[in-house]
Amino acid sequence: MTAEGTSAAAVDLDPQRLPQHVGIIMDGNGRWANQRGLSRNEGHAAGEQALFDTVEGALELGLRWLTVYAFSTENWRRPPSEVRFLMNFNHDLLRRRADELDERGVRVRFIGGRGRPVPARLVGMIEDTEAKTARHTGMTLQIAFNYGGRAELVDVARRIAADVAEGSLRPERISERTIQDRLYEAGAPDVDLLVRTSGEQRLSNFLMWQSAYAELVFTEVLWPDFDRQHLCAAVAEFQRRQRRFGAV
């Protein structure tokens, strides 16, 4: 199902039926750049404004959790020059925007691996941003960076195996809650609405466990052109759905 942009004022949303957690696969930076005769890196840079307009839109709507897919475990396969740009860009983005997010009362969390090959100075900036915004209790912005849904579940399995080996967990006591408690952000609710831009219609290893019952909304809009109005349209589409969770 697709969602087209509309003005926030034109959409009649039910504030009692907002999704608790919205996930966004930010896709299409490269195609956006190619259409304009620009480099892929210029497309990534253009996506910054889309991200922060979307964050503003989420705050306006009163969303509690927003998770964006910034860099996957598979993205290391891209050309080294593009990977270097993305590492530096994300470092500089946090340097430019951390204070703004703090002032807006947004708690920032990063999910994904922080060891090599993620640069140590970027890890430091990530940790500084998390610490700066940790006190906020409004919206949480999760940035999935060096993240893969399968890698997360492998890490969960390793933690469970270690707990069983040391005797703090019995195998017959393993449940869905056991897994939930060992996810990268155990306190995050399940994803209610998952949006992917650029017309692609796949999950690409994003929040596999958390999105088991997510409503999926796909838009042809390339990520640098996405904004709060498109977010509002996606939430409107979510509210038109009837969620059954396996029931009749």
Side-chain angles (χ1 to χ4, degrees), residues 7-226:
S7 68
V11 177
D12 184 17
L13 295 178
D14 181 352
Q16 303 304 315
R17 296 181 55 240
L18 293 173
Q20 284 192 79
H21 188 173
V22 176
I24 302 181
I25 300 175
M26 306 182 294
D27 193 17
N29 291 345
R31 274 165 284 176
W32 183 92
N34 287 339
Q35 289 175 3
R36 290 158 176 78
L38 304 173
S39 70
R40 287 179 58 83
N41 290 348
E42 289 174 290
H44 294 312
E48 178 180 346
Q49 182 57 40
L51 172 59
F52 284 91
D53 196 76
T54 299
V55 169
E56 287 291 339
L59 289 167
E60 289 175 359
L61 289 174
L63 300 183
R64 301 290 296 177
W65 290 80
L66 175 65
T67 301
V68 297
Y69 207 4
F71 190 89
S72 76
T73 49
E74 291 76 31
N75 287 157
W76 295 106
R77 302 171 188 165
R78 293 186 175 185
S81 60
E82 183 174 349
V83 170
R84 283 194 301 273
F85 173 85
L86 289 169
M87 294 301 110
N88 291 329
F89 176 73
N90 280 279
H91 177 276
D92 293 343
L93 182 148
L94 290 177
R95 180 174 52 79
R96 290 192 304 272
R97 298 284 192 163
D99 288 342
E100 178 182 341
L101 290 167
D102 184 36
E103 290 167 4
R104 299 292 285 120
V106 177
R107 182 175 76 122
V108 181
R109 295 282 301 156
F110 281 77
I111 55 173
R114 300 189 186 185
R116 292 174 60 86
V118 180
R121 71 187 189 102
L122 177 53
V123 173
M125 184 63 73
I126 286 171
E127 292 174 349
D128 289 347
T129 302
E130 288 183 330
K132 179 190 288 287
T133 63
R135 70 189 185 281
H136 298 308
T137 58
M139 190 182 82
T140 296
L141 170 63
Q142 286 195 131
I143 300 174
F145 186 86
N146 191 26
Y147 174 85
R150 288 182 173 181
E152 180 175 26
L153 293 177
V154 167
D155 285 344
V156 168
R158 287 171 175 162
R159 294 184 188 118
I160 290 174
D163 290 342
V164 169
E166 71 179 20
S168 62
L169 178 65
R170 294 163 56 187
E172 63 271 21
R173 302 287 293 179
I174 295 173
S175 65
E176 289 187 10
R177 182 59 184 266
T178 308
I179 296 172
Q180 178 69 37
D181 288 346
R182 288 163 177 78
L183 295 172
Y184 291 151
E185 179 51 71
D190 284 347
V191 175
D192 294 309
L193 169 61
L194 194 153
V195 180
R196 181 167 188 151
T197 61
S198 86
E200 302 293 345
Q201 299 185 18
R202 55 182 177 272
L203 296 181
S204 294
N205 203 17
F206 180 57
L207 300 179
M208 305 287 284
W209 176 272
Q210 299 90 330
S211 298
Y213 278 98
E215 295 295 324
L216 307 179
V217 171
F218 304 105
T219 174
E220 298 291 331
V221 176
L222 301 175
W223 176 249
D225 293 326
F226 194 88

